[in-house]
Amino acid sequence: MLWIIIVLLVNLLLETSVSLTVVVPPDPIVAHVGSTVTLPCWISPPENAGALEIRWYRQDQFNNPVLLYNHGKIQDIKECYRKRSSLALRSDQSGGLKDGDVSLRLEKLTFQDEGPFHCYVSGEHLYDSKVVVLKITDSSGPWKAISLSLIVLICVLPGLIGLILYKYRHKRTGHEEKTMKELENRVVGDTNIEELRKHAVEITIDREHLHPDLRVSDNCKISEEYKPTREGFPFELCAFGAQRFTSGRHYWEVELKQANTPPKNFWIIGVVKHGNFTTKDRSALTASAGFWFLCSDGPRGFYTNTDQSVKLSLTPRPERLGVLLDYDHGQLSFYNVTERKHLLTICSRFSGSVVPLFSPGAGDESTIKILDLPKPAEPAEPSQPLLSNTAAVESAVELVY
């Protein structure tokens, strides 16, 4: 019996003493638009990576990787990187996978490729991950004006430009969990709101599946009768759009500030797979479970519900939020309509029908109001402003605390 215990202790000691270390360059990798770049990443000390899982991913997209290698072959590539990404040698002297070289090659670079790329390597019991930062330049001159036309291309957070602050914590309990502690969102340039409104749709509320603590009046205003507790944000307090989307682009706006009141502090706005219903458990409301939304949780700030949640600093606080669902390209984008700024884009893979999702939260008396946005007529003169205070007809739906 004693020798069995000794063997078990030795095996445990060996398991916990062996480590897998991923190494990346300390400085950002700089490349030009349209060029090809290799993001170096390797295992130290060298070991054969052919039997390991190699996962490259962006920001909060662990489950939607730029490239996934497993079981000896490439298994998956994110849609906007197909035909552009592959595993490559970091140098002419590299021995490739058999020497632990797991570097990523990217072709036809765009400005939306700028930012951190996560290099994640795991075995049966061990794993490690590091971040490679890619900086994109334009060899033809200043690119600020060009970036305005690229603001809605396929990639995560296409409005992010400049310095990205991040703190990284990595845990694994049977699956990968990752939290981006802080992400500073900076946006340059205006968004053409009138162009977005060409995809405007009328949103009505599905009364059959309305939360019992919400009521709908004859004029489609929704009031909240929920009595808040100290248990945190009431994620179950939601209304669903009656419209089901399975393709195309669809845009709507939500008013978050009424006259003589401050902007609303508590709300959820996004989309959900039809047939899914909210619960009190925030951990169950993830993208992989069919929920995609932006949440404003008062003093706790703004964050996405993606599988690896991203916390955002949105200044100023949005007074009117625009939502663009691009089903075919797997994008859900949010805009500060008042400031004409793109805030963020969540990339995912939609399947089946998805419907709009709204929650007034609990904790303030301000309302959220779903606006009726008829598609605008062609402007009579090119000099007309793209955004005016009278562009949106008053609400079809209002959620009130």
Side-chain angles (χ1 to χ4, degrees), residues 29-312:
I29 304 299
V30 181
H32 297 307
V33 169
S35 68
T36 297
V37 71
T38 297
L39 304 182
C41 182
W42 64 94
I43 301 171
S44 180
E47 66 172 272
N48 193 335
L52 301 178
E53 175 185 320
I54 303 164
R55 184 185 296 259
W56 283 89
Y57 65 96
R58 303 296 307 272
Q59 259 56 335
D60 59 340
Q61 296 291 303
F62 182 85
N63 293 321
N64 191 15
V66 172
L67 182 145
L68 172 62
Y69 172 95
N70 202 4
H71 303 299
K73 63 180 181 179
I74 293 177
Q75 302 286 344
D76 191 19
I77 295 179
K78 183 179 175 69
E79 181 177 353
C80 59
Y81 288 100
R82 288 176 187 167
K83 299 182 180 180
R84 294 207 297 131
S85 65
S86 60
L87 294 177
L89 305 180
R90 75 177 192 271
S91 69
D92 294 337
Q93 291 75 39
S94 171
L97 286 176
K98 65 183 179 64
D99 285 340
D101 187 352
V102 297
S103 301
L104 177 70
R105 174 187 174 94
L106 294 176
E107 303 177 12
K108 300 177 181 178
L109 294 176
T110 71
F111 287 117
Q112 275 56 51
D113 294 323
E114 181 172 88
F117 285 76
H118 297 256
C119 175
Y120 168 85
V121 181
S122 68
E124 185 175 356
H125 301 291
L126 306 170
Y127 68 92
D128 193 19
S129 179
K130 293 293 189 303
V131 175
V132 182
V133 177
L134 176 61
K135 296 289 291 182
I136 303 295
T137 63
D138 184 357
S139 58
S140 64
W143 56 273
K144 177 179 178 180
I146 301 176
S147 68
L148 302 183
S149 63
L150 300 173
I151 205 116
V152 195
L153 285 180
I154 304 173
C155 267
V156 177
L157 305 181
L160 287 178
I161 297 175
L163 179 64
I164 295 181
L165 304 176
Y166 59 88
K167 294 182 181 179
Y168 179 87
R169 184 176 65 187
H170 204 29
K171 293 183 179 179
R172 185 172 179 174
T173 56
H175 68 283
E176 180 68 4
E177 296 179 352
K178 195 160 300 283
T179 300
M180 192 71 74
K181 293 290 290 181
E182 182 179 5
L183 187 81
E184 184 176 59
N185 193 320
R186 298 183 178 180
V187 180
V188 174
D190 291 344
T191 293
N192 190 329
I193 298 298
E194 290 300 317
E195 192 67 27
L196 294 174
R197 286 177 176 164
K198 291 180 180 179
H199 305 287
V201 291
E202 180 183 2
I203 302 297
T204 57
I205 294 299
D206 179 358
R207 301 188 183 212
E208 180 181 354
H209 299 106
L210 188 68
H211 189 278
D213 287 330
L214 296 175
R215 67 179 186 273
V216 183
S217 62
D218 292 338
N219 60 355
C220 292
K221 290 185 178 181
I222 300 180
S223 299
E224 185 266 309
E225 296 180 333
Y226 180 83
K227 297 186 182 302
T229 67
R230 295 186 179 181
E231 297 176 357
F233 197 102
F235 289 95
E236 75 279 14
L237 189 69
C238 286
F240 306 91
Q243 289 68 32
R244 303 180 189 179
F245 304 122
T246 57
S247 63
R249 292 181 178 178
H250 311 278
Y251 177 78
W252 57 94
E253 292 179 8
V254 182
E255 192 77 74
L256 300 172
K257 183 183 186 306
Q258 308 304 319
N260 302 317
T261 63
K264 188 164 177 60
N265 285 309
F266 297 88
W267 46 262
I268 284 177
I269 296 172
V271 298
V272 59
K273 189 170 182 178
H274 180 255
N276 289 7
F277 300 104
T278 52
T279 70
K280 294 182 179 180
D281 184 8
R282 171 188 171 185
S283 64
L285 307 180
T286 62
S288 58
F291 297 86
W292 301 270
F293 59 75
L294 177 63
C295 180
S296 174
D297 194 2
R300 298 177 184 86
F302 301 88
Y303 53 84
T304 67
N305 76 308
T306 43
D307 292 311
Q308 286 75 44
S309 181
V310 175
K311 187 174 182 180
L312 303 171

Side-chain angles (χ1 to χ4, degrees), residues 152 196 199 249-251 322-326 331-333 335:
V152 195
L196 294 174
H199 305 287
R249 292 181 178 178
H250 311 278
Y251 177 78
V323 183
L324 177 67
L325 170 66
D326 189 338
Q331 291 182 310
L332 181 67
S333 300
Y335 301 85

